[in-house]
Amino acid sequence: MITLDQKAFFLDNGYLHLPGVLQGKELARYQSEFDRIWELEGPPVGQNKLLKHPAFLELIEHPMLLGMHRAFFGSQVQLLQLDLLRQEPRSSFPIRSWHRDFVFPGDRPLSINSILYLDPMTEERGPTYIVPGSHRAEEGPPKGQENVPLPGEVAGLVEAGDVIFINSSIWHSGGSNQTDGLRRGVYLYYGYWWLKRYDTMDPGKYATPWQALESAPRERLELLGLKMPGKDLHMYDLRG
């Protein structure tokens, strides 16, 4: 689902912007479902709440999302965590909050965070900021500069329905929403099948709901880490 040039760009820079993953009625559906589930379930809204709902079961298997991850993880792709993130208008969130999600420097990712934006990301709404190439750095973001702009940073100025994929070792930051509207995003975190999922760390908090398992096809059970992909974890074809 991605080109060789896009894959090379991701490996070199540590991120990739894929426009138009959701469009039209499909985008409107997820904007509506985000608001409905946020009010129904109450924050924080993670996979233990989201995977009760058909729309988000479909989203974790979306061909454009899975295609990107299969390009790196092959048949061993696994969903590690799923979250909704919402910032209110005129947020007090800092202008930068530099961090990395996973510490494993290098060109090839062990895990990738996919950020699906449900609102257009302008400078005022607080886009995601990225320091290209920092996924190779042994050190983290500079001490004492976690809340200020960094040299070489790139702003993810994207449209609603776009996805930014980031190597989870890259330095990145959310922005501060200074508009009169919401800042809404869906965070889909994928990685190799043999990595621990969040629900194994705190089953009470992150437990997979029964709705995700009822009549689930094998592919979903593999994606949720409940069936081993293929016959051997040590020998597999990256092409799936």
Side-chain angles (χ1 to χ4, degrees), residues 223-234:
L223 196 60
L224 295 176
L226 299 174
K227 275 193 177 293
M228 187 174 76
K231 60 182 180 180
D232 195 318
L233 284 178
H234 304 94

Side-chain angles (χ1 to χ4, degrees), residues 12 29 49 51 63 66 71 86 121 127 144 176 189 193 210 217:
D12 189 36
R29 178 193 183 197
K49 298 176 180 179
L51 295 182
L66 270 185
R86 183 174 108 163
M121 289 294 113
S176 178
Y189 193 29
W193 189 87
W210 64 264

Side-chain angles (χ1 to χ4, degrees), residues 110-172:
L110 291 189
S111 57
I112 297 174
N113 198 345
S114 310
I115 311 169
L116 168 63
Y117 297 91
L118 298 181
D119 299 293
M121 289 294 113
T122 62
E123 291 281 5
E124 294 74 23
R125 203 182 294 269
T128 301
Y129 293 90
I130 298 157
V131 179
S134 59
H135 56 298
R136 299 190 189 90
E138 293 287 338
E139 69 281 359
K143 297 294 184 184
Q145 298 183 52
E146 292 89 347
N147 301 125
V148 299
L150 292 179
E153 68 177 35
V154 172
L157 302 176
V158 304
E159 297 298 323
D162 291 3
V163 174
I164 291 181
F165 301 95
I166 61 174
N167 183 318
S168 54
S169 292
I170 207 168
W171 305 354
H172 64 283

Side-chain angles (χ1 to χ4, degrees), residues 171-189:
W171 305 354
H172 64 283
S173 168
S176 178
N177 180 18
Q178 295 305 303
T179 71
D180 293 324
L182 294 172
R183 181 187 188 275
R184 296 172 297 175
V186 184
Y187 283 62
L188 304 103
Y189 193 29

